[in-house]
Amino acid sequence: MASPETRVLLVTPDFPPAKGGIQLLLERLIENAPGLRTRVLTLGQEGATEFDRDAGLDVRRVARADGDRRIAALRLNAQTLREAATFRPDVILSGHVVASLAAISLRRALRTPFVQYVHADEFRVRARLSAAAVRRADATIAVSAYTREMALAAGARPERVNVIHPGVDLPAAVPAAREEEPTLLTVATLLFRYKGHDVMTRALPLIRAQVPEARWIVVGDGPFRPAIESAIEAYGLGGSVELLGRVSDSERNEWLDRASVFCMPSRLPADGLGGEGFGIVYLEAAAHGMPSLGGNVAGARDAVLDGETGLLVDPTDHLALAAAATRLLAEPELARKMGAAARRHAEAHAWPLIAAKVEALLHEVASGRVPPAV
C-alpha cells in the first residue's frame, strides 16, 4: 500500500459552508480519511473564513466571480495548476467535472493521476466535459449504479468506474416511538421540479381520503415554492400541509425522529438525463429509523431498497404514490419493520466505512495500481 502520507489535492466548486449533498460528501470524506494528507481547493463564499478556521482542514479558496459560475470555474482550474506546483499531490480528486480541466492537463503534462467523482446531473448539464473527464480519469467514483451507467454511456472504461455510495451521519439512537399523528416528511430544495413536490400535492387528497389525519411536512425552500403553495390552495390542503422553509439541522433531525414516512418521489428531468444521483437524504431518513417512499428511477434505487427499507413507485403516478403512502401510514407495523431495516442499511453506509473505500482507491491510484471496478 502507498505511504500513509499520500498527498491528495481535492478540487471542487462545492464545499462547505455551502449546503448540499456534494458539499457534505466531500467534507465527510476528508474528515474520515486519516491516511491521506488532503488539501482542498475550492471557491470563496460567505462564512468561509469562519468555517475554515473552525474545521481545522487545509483549505485554499479562489475568489468568486460575482455570480458568474463559468468564470469562477476557470479561476478554480487556473489556481489548480499553481497549487499542484507547490503542493505536489500524489493524486488529484476532482469533486465535480468542472474541476477536471486542470486535472486532465496535469495528468498529460506531469503524469499526476486523477480520480473523478460523478453525481449524475452533470451528464445532462455538461455532457461534453463530463465525457472528457470520465474518459481520461485514472478512476471514476460513481455515487450509484445509475451514475455508473451514465459514465459508461459517456465513454468511461468499465474497469475504471467504481460505485461507492455516499455515506451518512448516524444519530446515537433511533426514537423509541414516533408521533401518533400520521406524518409524511419531505426534505428537499424547492429548486427542481423533479424532486416530486407537485406529485405529492396531487397524491395528498387521496391519502387523506384513507387516512384523514395525515399531514405533510415540507422542509426546504426555493423558487418552486409559489407553485406548490398555489397547488396546495387549489386542492384545499392548507390545514394539512406545513411548508417550513429552511430550518436548522437540529430542527430537521427532530422531524426525522418524529415523522412516520419520508417521501421524495424524484423523477427524471424532462430530457430523461440526470436527476437524483443517489439521494443522501434517503439515508438520513434511514439513519433515524424511518422508511422512505421514492421514485423507481435513477439513484434512489440504490438509496432505498424496494420492499425492504421503503417503497419505490412510478414517480409520475400520483395514484401509485398515494397507495404506497397510505399503505405505510395504515400499517404501522410494516413501517416499523422497514424503518428498522432502513437503520441497518444506513449503518452499512456510515461515513468512516465509505471514506475508507475512497481512501483505499486513492492510495491505489497514487501508487499506480488501479483496482478493478466494483
Side-chain angles (χ1 to χ4, degrees):
M1 177 174 286
S3 163
E5 284 296 317
T6 296
R7 300 162 70 89
V8 178
L9 179 60
L10 167 58
V11 187
T12 175
D14 305 307
F15 200 72
K19 300 292 186 181
I22 297 175
Q23 291 88 336
L24 177 65
L25 184 156
L26 297 175
E27 179 189 11
R28 291 294 186 268
L29 283 182
I30 61 176
E31 287 177 339
N32 291 279
L36 304 174
R37 180 180 174 186
T38 304
R39 173 170 292 177
V40 180
L41 181 62
T42 188
L43 297 176
Q45 56 187 282
E46 184 178 353
T49 300
E50 294 77 12
F51 173 84
D52 294 347
R53 181 192 63 217
D54 297 338
L57 304 174
D58 183 1
V59 181
R60 309 296 171 91
R61 296 189 182 262
V62 179
R64 282 190 176 273
D66 298 324
D68 190 322
R69 292 181 61 86
R70 181 175 176 273
I71 295 177
L74 291 174
R75 287 181 177 177
L76 183 64
N77 280 278
Q79 185 60 36
T80 299
L81 300 176
R82 291 189 285 268
E83 204 67 43
T86 57
F87 184 62
R88 297 187 179 278
D90 299 306
V91 59
I92 295 172
L93 176 59
S94 172
H96 191 283
V97 295
V98 299
S100 67
L101 291 172
I104 292 171
S105 297
L106 289 166
R107 186 181 186 275
R108 182 185 301 118
L110 302 178
R111 299 188 181 277
T112 305
F114 84 97
V115 175
Q116 180 64 57
Y117 246 108
V118 289
H119 310 278
D121 212 40
E122 62 267 51
F123 290 100
R124 176 178 64 88
V125 179
R126 298 178 177 86
R128 293 178 62 185
L129 181 57
S130 298
V134 300
R135 288 171 182 170
R136 290 168 172 79
D138 295 87
T140 294
I141 301 175
V143 297
S144 64
Y146 168 66
T147 307
R148 181 178 189 271
E149 292 168 4
M150 300 184 80
L152 296 180
R157 292 168 55 183
E159 69 274 14
R160 295 289 180 90
V161 184
N162 299 262
V163 176
I164 303 179
H165 295 151
V168 68
D169 294 313
L170 296 174
V174 297
R178 295 185 176 273
E179 285 191 353
E180 292 186 5
E181 187 174 10
T183 303
L184 304 169
L185 174 67
T186 300
V187 180
T189 178
L190 290 165
L191 178 62
F192 304 109
R193 291 180 180 270
Y194 72 75
K195 294 290 185 178
H197 295 88
D198 52 343
V199 182
M200 277 293 300
T201 304
R202 295 198 298 273
L204 191 57
L206 302 175
I207 297 169
R208 285 178 56 80
Q210 300 296 319
V211 186
E213 304 84 8
R215 60 174 177 162
W216 181 31
I217 304 298
V218 181
V219 172
D221 211 344
F224 192 36
R225 178 170 181 152
I228 296 300
E229 290 175 331
S230 297
I232 289 170
E233 182 178 357
Y235 283 107
L237 297 171
S240 57
V241 180
E242 293 184 53
L243 300 179
L244 301 183
R246 294 183 178 90
V247 303
S248 66
D249 289 348
S250 60
E251 184 175 351
R252 179 204 61 193
N253 290 339
E254 287 178 9
W255 282 110
L256 289 171
D257 281 338
R258 293 166 58 186
S260 311
V261 180
F262 181 78
C263 298
M264 192 174 76
S266 292
R267 59 184 180 268
L268 296 177
D271 54 11
L273 290 174
E276 209 69 62
F278 180 81
I280 291 178
V281 69
Y282 295 117
L283 277 186
E284 291 174 338
H288 287 258
M290 182 163 44
S292 289
L293 284 179
N296 59 1
V297 297
R301 293 174 296 178
D302 284 18
V304 181
L305 305 182
D306 188 28
E308 183 178 345
T309 68
L311 298 174
L312 297 177
V313 300
D314 180 346
T316 66
D317 185 349
H318 69 285
L319 298 177
L321 179 61
T326 299
R327 180 186 177 194
L328 289 177
L329 293 178
E331 300 181 37
E333 181 55 29
L334 174 63
R336 186 206 62 76
K337 180 180 178 180
M338 286 188 172
R343 170 68 185 198
R344 293 191 294 271
H345 185 54
E347 289 172 349
H349 288 78
W351 278 118
L353 300 177
I354 298 301
K357 294 180 180 181
V358 177
E359 181 179 335
L361 177 62
L362 291 170
H363 281 313
E364 292 287 348
V365 171
S367 64
R369 300 189 305 274
V370 181
V374 296

